Amino acid sequence: MPSSTSETMYNLSCYNPDSFVLVGIPGLEKFHIWIGIPFCIIYVVAIVGNCILLYLIAVEQSLHEPMFYFLSMLATTDLILSTATVPKLLSNVWLETKEITISGCLTQMFFLHFSFVVDSAILLAMAFDRYVAICFPLRYTTILTPQVIIKLVLSIVVRSFSVILPDVFLLKRLPFCGTRIIPHTYCEHIGVARLSSADISINIWYGFAVPLMTVISDVIFIAVSYTVILRAVFQLSSRGARQKALSTCGSHVCVILMFYTPAFFSTLAHRFGHSVPRHVLILFANLYVAIPPALNPIVYGVKTKQIQEKFILLFSFKEIQ
C-alpha cells in the first residue's frame, strides 16, 4: 500500500511539475551581467517608444486613420512581446533567478507565440491598407470604414488566440519526469516539449502547422499585395506621384523586413545550423524578440511625416511649458 501511494505521488509530480529552470545563455555565464546591459537599454527604448506612439495616436485627431489604428495595435503587441521575454532575461542574467513556475512558463510561451502571430497578421492588414490607399484612393474611406477596421482587428485577435491556445494544452498533457532544465532564456513550445519523456510528435506537427497556416500565408498575401501595389505605382504617369506613393509604403516595408528576416534566419539556423554554437542561436533568438519592438516606433517616427510632426510638436510644447 505505501509503495502504491508513493508511486501515485511520483506520477502526480511527473505530470504536475512545480517549476522549470531557465539556464540563460549556456557558455556565456561569465558575461551575463554585461549581456543584460544592452538588452535593458533596448527594452527601455521599446517601452518608451511604443508608449509615445500610442499616446500620439490616441490624442491627435489627425492620426485617427486606419493605418495608425493598425500601427497602434502593432505597438501594443510589441509591448506584450517585449514584456513577456526581456524582464525574465534580465532577472536571469542579473539576479540569477533562473526558476520559473509551470504556469509562468506556459503564460510566457503563450504570449510569445501569440504576439508573433498577431504581429504577422497586423503587417498583412497594413499591407491591405496600403493596397487600398494606392490602388483605390478615392474609395479608401468607404472601403476601410470603422466597422471594417473593428472586424479586421477582432479577426486578427481571434485567429491568433485560436491557433496558439492549443499549444498550452498540448504541453499540459505531457509528463515531465526527467530534467526540467531549459537551455534558454525563455519558454517556447517545442523547447519545453522536448523535456518530456513522452511522444511529442503531435506537438512537433502542430508547431510546424501553425506557422504554415498563419505566418507563411501572411507572407504570401503581403507579397501579392505589394506586387499589385508596385504594378499600380509604376503605371502612374507623374514621377512625383510615384515617389509619393512609394514613400507611403517605405516605413511598412522596413518593418516587414525587420520582422520576417530574422525570424526566417532563426528558423533556418535552428533547423539546419547544427554546427552553430547554442549560445549564438540563443542570443540571436533574444535579439529577435527585443530589437523589432524597439525599432518599429523609431522607423515610423522617422519615415512617417505625420508622426514626426506630432512628436516634435509634443516635445517643443513641453519645453515652452
Side-chain angles (χ1 to χ4, degrees), residues 11-321:
N11 289 335
L12 285 173
S13 67
C14 277
Y15 277 90
N16 299 283
D18 295 324
S19 61
F20 293 111
V21 176
L22 293 167
V23 172
I25 305 172
L28 297 179
E29 287 84 0
K30 60 183 177 180
F31 301 111
H32 270 183
I33 292 175
W34 301 106
I35 289 170
I37 294 172
F39 279 103
C40 182
I41 294 169
I42 292 167
Y43 180 60
V44 170
V45 170
I47 295 296
V48 173
N50 284 293
C51 285
I52 290 173
L53 195 59
L54 286 169
Y55 174 76
L56 289 175
I57 294 171
V59 300
E60 293 296 336
Q61 194 67 33
S62 61
L63 299 180
H64 292 180
E65 298 176 6
M67 182 180 77
F68 297 110
Y69 291 143
F70 291 131
L71 182 55
S72 65
M73 192 176 176
L74 184 69
T76 303
T77 312
D78 283 344
L79 286 171
I80 294 170
L81 178 61
S82 294
T83 305
T85 53
V86 181
K88 184 58 186 173
L89 163 68
L90 295 177
S91 70
N92 190 315
V93 298
W94 281 349
L95 305 175
E96 294 291 319
T97 54
K98 298 181 181 297
E99 200 166 346
I100 185 170
T101 63
I102 180 66
S103 58
C105 185
L106 292 175
T107 302
Q108 185 184 53
M109 183 230 29
F110 173 81
F111 281 110
L112 171 70
H113 295 310
F114 175 77
S115 301
F116 183 80
V117 176
V118 169
D119 267 352
S120 179
I122 294 168
L123 292 176
L124 174 58
M126 294 171 88
F128 176 68
D129 171 84
R130 293 300 83 202
Y131 163 73
V132 175
I134 291 171
C135 298
F136 305 99
L138 299 177
R139 296 174 54 199
Y140 181 77
T141 53
T142 58
I143 294 174
L144 287 173
T145 61
Q147 292 79 10
V148 171
I149 300 297
I150 290 169
K151 287 177 182 177
L152 281 172
V153 169
L154 286 175
S155 64
I156 287 170
V157 173
V158 170
R159 184 191 79 158
S160 304
F161 184 84
S162 300
V163 298
I164 299 302
L165 187 63
D167 283 348
V168 175
F169 294 103
L170 286 173
L171 284 179
K172 282 181 75 70
R173 74 185 178 88
L174 295 174
F176 294 95
C177 302
T179 180
R180 293 175 189 172
I181 297 173
I182 303 173
H184 213 305
T185 57
Y186 55 75
C187 297
E188 55 93 18
H189 178 213
I190 299 301
V192 177
R194 283 187 178 136
L195 299 182
S196 176
S197 55
D199 180 17
I200 62 167
S201 56
I202 296 175
N203 298 71
I204 292 171
W205 280 110
Y206 192 77
F208 174 77
V210 167
L212 200 65
M213 292 185 300
T214 56
V215 178
I216 302 299
S217 62
D218 291 344
V219 171
I220 292 169
F221 285 122
I222 289 171
V224 170
S225 297
Y226 270 97
T227 301
V228 177
I229 287 169
L230 289 173
R231 186 179 174 184
V233 167
F234 288 111
Q235 284 178 346
L236 296 172
S237 55
S238 167
R239 184 180 176 182
R242 286 199 296 270
Q243 288 180 337
K244 186 178 178 181
L246 288 172
S247 68
T248 63
C249 300
S251 53
H252 184 234
V253 171
C254 287
V255 170
I256 287 172
L257 292 174
M258 286 191 305
F259 180 77
Y260 287 115
T261 306
F264 286 133
F265 272 116
S266 182
T267 303
L268 290 172
H270 275 90
R271 292 288 181 273
F272 307 108
H274 302 297
S275 60
V276 180
R278 180 177 285 277
H279 64 266
V280 173
L281 294 176
I282 294 173
L283 267 177
F284 192 82
N286 279 282
L287 287 171
Y288 166 66
V289 298
I291 289 181
L295 289 183
N296 287 348
I298 295 172
V299 168
Y300 274 100
V302 170
K303 287 189 164 289
T304 307
K305 191 176 178 182
Q306 296 113 302
I307 292 176
Q308 197 178 86
E309 288 173 350
K310 300 304 178 186
F311 180 82
I312 293 169
L313 190 66
L314 173 69
F315 283 92
S316 61
F317 178 76
K318 284 187 176 181
E319 284 176 12
I320 293 170
Q321 291 289 86

